[in-house]
Amino acid sequence: MAILPTPLQKISHPLLVEKAITLYIKRDDLIHPEMMGNKWRKLKYNLAAIRDQGLNSLVTMGGAYSNHIAATAAAAQENNLKATGIIRGEELNKESNPTLKFASEKGMNFEFVDRTAFRKLREHPHRLIDKYPGHYFLPEGGTNDLAIKGCEEIVKEIDIEFDVFVTPIGTGGTFAGVLKAAENRKKIIGVSSLKGDFIHNEIQDLLKKHQIDYTNYQIIDNYHFGGYGKTNPVLIDFINEFKEKLNISLDPIYTGKAFFAVWDMIKSNKFEKNLKIVILHTGGLQGIEGFNRKNENIIQ
């Protein structure tokens, strides 16, 4: 059962007082224990579509540590659906890491493919649809029209006035939904976890595809810490200090980087005084266990 609307938590900290900034966190990490954050939002209307179409099976794609894979597996079990995950990495198996083990325990079946094959399926999803007839197809990361519709509700739940809304960016579906809901009334900032300025063109293409023509946004691409899945001690220290002082866990892939970006921008006076900023916690906390296994338990 989802907790809705998710809480809007005001943050108290000397830095915010010093810089005259009001900061809130939209706690979508609390929406559901297994379908956390933006993944629950993205799945909401897709699950309704599966029911409406009378289907009982779905197929999707993702990496070995994918939040989307974990959430989809949990959603499929909760809704009595059969689920298949196409997983990037032919050397993997269902016991390779906590994410895959969790998804397997939820009943998801896997097909492991090499990175070249995975990329081709990403570029030509009809091949996967043809291979799995009678299955509902969810793209990598879960981003489609219905996912964007679900993410629009994040902004619609906020009942206070604010000036800036910040969200992490992966595939861009959450960002697109937030931007569409804001309707040029607020500034929307997306913080990319991916290395490279290609993200600007990808977001433009995504917005064009889904006919979202608002321009009140900014994409920040210089807080990736080396790229997707990459970190350094500065980021890890920030995540651990945030947990220690505010009792809010952040993941190292998405939320840690987005929250670090906001904090750093506040410190360096990139925001005007007296702004009210809302930052979205998109969840992703299931990935911490796998990250710690690879990195000797460095996240609290």
Side-chain angles (χ1 to χ4, degrees), residues 131-296:
K131 185 175 181 179
Y132 288 91
H135 287 59
Y136 188 91
F137 173 69
L138 281 170
E140 183 181 12
T143 292
N144 58 16
D145 278 329
L146 293 177
I148 290 172
K149 178 181 178 181
C151 289
E152 289 181 52
E153 296 176 357
I154 297 169
V155 174
K156 294 176 181 178
E157 286 180 6
I158 298 175
D159 59 0
I160 65 166
E161 287 297 318
F162 64 92
D163 304 295
V164 179
F165 190 101
V166 184
T167 178
I169 287 183
T171 56
T174 303
F175 175 83
V178 166
L179 181 66
K180 185 175 181 181
E183 296 180 330
N184 270 337
R185 292 178 286 111
K186 312 292 182 183
K187 182 175 183 179
I188 309 301
I189 296 177
V191 180
S192 175
S193 295
L194 311 174
K195 185 177 181 179
D197 58 7
F198 67 90
I199 190 66
H200 299 272
N201 289 332
E202 285 202 352
I203 293 298
Q204 287 179 4
D205 291 343
L206 178 69
L207 297 179
K208 183 177 180 181
K209 177 182 178 181
H210 295 281
Q211 299 180 326
I212 302 170
D213 57 1
Y214 301 120
T215 59
N216 52 312
Y217 71 88
Q218 178 184 4
I219 305 298
I220 297 175
D221 63 10
N222 59 333
Y223 289 95
H224 52 73
F225 289 88
Y228 181 78
K230 305 292 185 181
T231 63
N232 68 18
V234 174
L235 177 62
I236 299 304
D237 286 347
F238 172 80
I239 290 172
N240 286 334
E241 184 177 355
F242 206 87
K243 173 66 180 299
E244 179 183 355
K245 292 186 175 180
L246 298 172
N247 196 31
I248 298 174
S249 295
L250 303 174
D251 83 283
I253 310 301
Y254 295 109
T255 56
K257 294 178 180 181
F259 279 60
F260 184 98
V262 170
W263 214 252
D264 190 58
M265 291 170 71
I266 292 172
K267 279 184 179 179
S268 54
N269 301 309
K270 298 291 177 59
F271 291 113
E272 301 173 17
K273 289 188 174 183
N274 300 314
L275 286 183
K276 287 185 178 180
I277 301 171
V278 177
I279 181 168
L280 176 66
H281 194 316
T282 53
L285 302 182
Q286 67 84 25
I288 292 177
E289 183 182 354
F291 181 87
N292 276 341
R293 285 194 187 184
K294 293 175 63 178
N295 296 279
E296 299 180 351

Side-chain angles (χ1 to χ4, degrees), residues 32 34-35 69-79 102-103 106 108:
H32 192 284
E34 294 179 336
M35 290 171 271
I69 290 295
T72 300
Q77 184 188 64
E78 188 171 291
N79 289 271
F102 171 84
K106 290 295 179 181
M108 179 175 275

